[in-house]
Amino acid sequence: MSRDEISRTNRNRDRGTSASNSSSKGKPKKKKRFLTKKRVLWTLFFATALAIFCAMGGYLFIMLNGQKLLSENQDKLSVNETTKIYDRNANLIGELALEKSEPVEHKDIPQLLIDAFVATEDKRFFEHSGVDFWSIGRAAVKDIAARSMVEGGSTITQQLAKNIFLTRDKTFFRKATEVSIAVALENENTKDEIITMYLNRINFGGTIYGIKAASIRYFGEDDLNKLELWEMATLAAMPKGPSRYNPLRNPDLSKERRGVVLQLMYEQGYITKEQMDEAKAVDYNYKPPESKQRYQAFIDYAIDEAEEKFGLSEDDLNIGGYKIYTTMDKHAQETVENAFADSDNFEKSADDELVQGSMTIINQENGSIVALLGGRNYEKKGYSRVDGSRRSPGSAFKPLVAYAPALESGKFTNDSMLSNEKQCFGTYCPNNLHGYSRTISMTDALTKSENIPAVWLLNEIGVNTGFQFAKKLGIDLKDEDKNLSLALGGMSQGTNTLEMAQAYSAFANGGELREAYSIKSIVNSGGDTVYKANTNAERVMSADTAYQMTEMMQNVVEDGTGKKAKINRPVAGKTGTTQSGYEGISSNRDVWFVGYTPEWTAAVWMGYDKPSKTHLLKNSSPLAAAFWGKVMEEALEGVPARSFPQPDGASEPEPTATPEAAQPVSGLNAAYDAATMTVNLSWEPAAAEGVEYRIYRRETSEAEFSPLLNTVSASVGDISAMPGLAYEYYVTAYYPELDVESEPSAAVTVEVQDEPPTQEPEATIDPNLPTPTPDNGGDNGTGGGNNGNNGGGNSGPGNSGQGSSPGTQPEMTAQPTPPVVEPPPATEGSDNAGNDSGVITSPEGDAGPVEEVAPPL
């Protein structure tokens, strides 16, 4: 090879090497792999080994610990002191002492009773060994979904274990320990022994423990073999919620849950369909022997609040050794209890079914419940009407849904003139008891409880505005309540004294609302405060709106339908009445008074639990107002009296005229026409135009006059006068332009004959007179909750709502001496409401308003 060829070959080799080096520099270096298959396998091996080791250790610990706990607590149910209840001043008022009977032996428990509990609580009880892993799996899924430990998947054996375990904490460790005790129980006892221990230990509501104690309490039977199927199913329904499904407190919920138990028994082959259907249909009506204890109603309410608001079960409270500090005022609670125990404070019934009542008193400054009682002859853990019963509030609802939201809108004041003409809103045609006028002041409309202005006002601001305002005050309303009849208390499910007192407390508290509560704090057995009440306030209306409402409702008590509620300190409030809903019957279902002083707010309801044609009230809302006044005057003894606060910048309005500027009525004459059974009244008309005449009446045995009716003519007929009685009348003139009522006219007295004539003249019709429609009168609302026929409403200003046809009372006209014919039948459950005006002497001698009946023309 020549020198040139050698040189060329070397150059080519050098270029190749250079290119190779350049190529290798451009390629990334290959990283060494960290997670190899080998490493993953070793990691899984050690993790599995560790898990097995921990599981074995945990299993051994649980087994040994469970056996130890079982032996230590075999005969124990509670290791703490009893839970104690204190009043607002830390005085002891009661404690939750456990009520247990002698344990029953297995042979004394009927098999069908055992079947009921097994079918409901643990259908695989006779198959598993203390723990049902399928149920635990389902419970675990629920725990994950809820992101917390929830009670689920427990077998009967586990429930028994829980009852003898020492702590009440809902933790994983506690659940594991519960499982360990359950396994230990299964290892040392037969299934028959376990089910017997379970039935002798579990809670059956309140402080009742054991199946025999429950049978005695709820059915008065100490021999379990004498229990009927429906009674067994009622008891088997209780472990899921001892308070919720307590037949004494919640008979409807208990019956519903009993149906579930019976269905499960049927599906699992324990009973036939015929047995199931028969047991489902039975109504619970057992009444245990009376056992009176002071403050029991308040204690029960506080225990319920501890369960609902703070998540403590009845079992937790019974054996947890807590100290519960309540808001109860001892003197006020005793006053309420004494008043409910006095039968003279209630209308007498025609049979053994008592006229019932409910009262709630709240301190509006902090929302604390001062006193409450949910019925006469209240029994421990019994039915409470404070929050358990819902009834139509009648005209007591007007301030919440019509007047206050109208003031809050800024478009009205308490001096605004409202429409008071006879009119319809779409197909909804409410009526007044006291007649009609072109306009009426807001204060006057509320004072006399006229219907047209309230409905007109709700229509002006929009039904939805009033609806949302009432909901903001804590009233539980449904969407179907959005109609104009809501202005008169037309509600699908009604309300209760707790909600009404809480709502009115916002007026008393300058527009701020606090949720009502009965527990200030709870201290556990270790001395730690574990719960405190939330007393934060929410502004629900302006201070000026609250002040104007207070001014108007003070007038209701001073000069209107709430006179019976007067006491020795300032009072503001509103009456309410709902009528029978039965055609031809003018009695009432419900009477209310909701009011407040500068210190406390209270609501009173009276009526029958199950109204019927034979179970209705003869009296109207003054009965409730008088009860309210009697209780509050005594309950507030020792509480420093104050005045209602005024918002900054508020001033008393100057009167535009004096009574002297209004000429009184003269020439009043009255005579009874036996042919038409009417007292005819006439007088000299006033010289001024637009004058409204107001007629007042009292039966001679009564102490005070009461408003009867209003008219714009100078004569009128009173057809509500009762035979055999004597009445005294006077008339005043109201001048709308001056907003002044004259001094009373000279009074006249009329005696009404006992016997009407044997023949009545033939009715004639004056074609010039308007055709009236039935009128319920102002304070009468719906015919009892769900029976009301609510019409479709509106949700915006100016839209007309629709309601049912008017109710039982025909319209009172201002025409003299019309012929008497039978009024047309009414529709049951009418939505229309009426005024608390006019008086009638009841058989008991109590004077109360009556809805006046006038013939159709």
Side-chain angles (χ1 to χ4, degrees), residues 268-315:
Q268 295 174 41
Y270 293 114
I271 57 175
T272 66
K273 188 176 187 307
E274 290 73 21
Q275 287 176 303
M276 176 186 72
D277 292 339
E278 182 181 351
K280 277 185 176 181
V282 181
D283 289 323
Y284 180 85
N285 56 11
Y286 175 72
K287 294 182 179 180
E290 293 185 11
S291 55
K292 298 297 182 183
Q293 180 181 336
R294 280 290 196 187
Y295 323 125
Q296 189 62 59
F298 201 102
I299 291 172
D300 287 348
Y301 183 89
I303 294 301
D304 288 346
E305 185 174 299
E307 293 179 52
E308 294 171 10
K309 289 188 176 181
F310 305 129
L312 297 171
S313 70
E314 284 188 288
D315 204 38

Side-chain angles (χ1 to χ4, degrees), residues 28-45:
K29 292 182 178 180
K30 191 173 183 181
K31 293 184 179 179
K32 192 173 182 180
R33 291 176 63 188
F34 179 75
L35 288 177
T36 65
K37 179 189 266 187
K38 186 176 181 181
R39 288 187 176 183
V40 170
L41 290 174
W42 276 109
T43 302
L44 289 175
F45 172 78

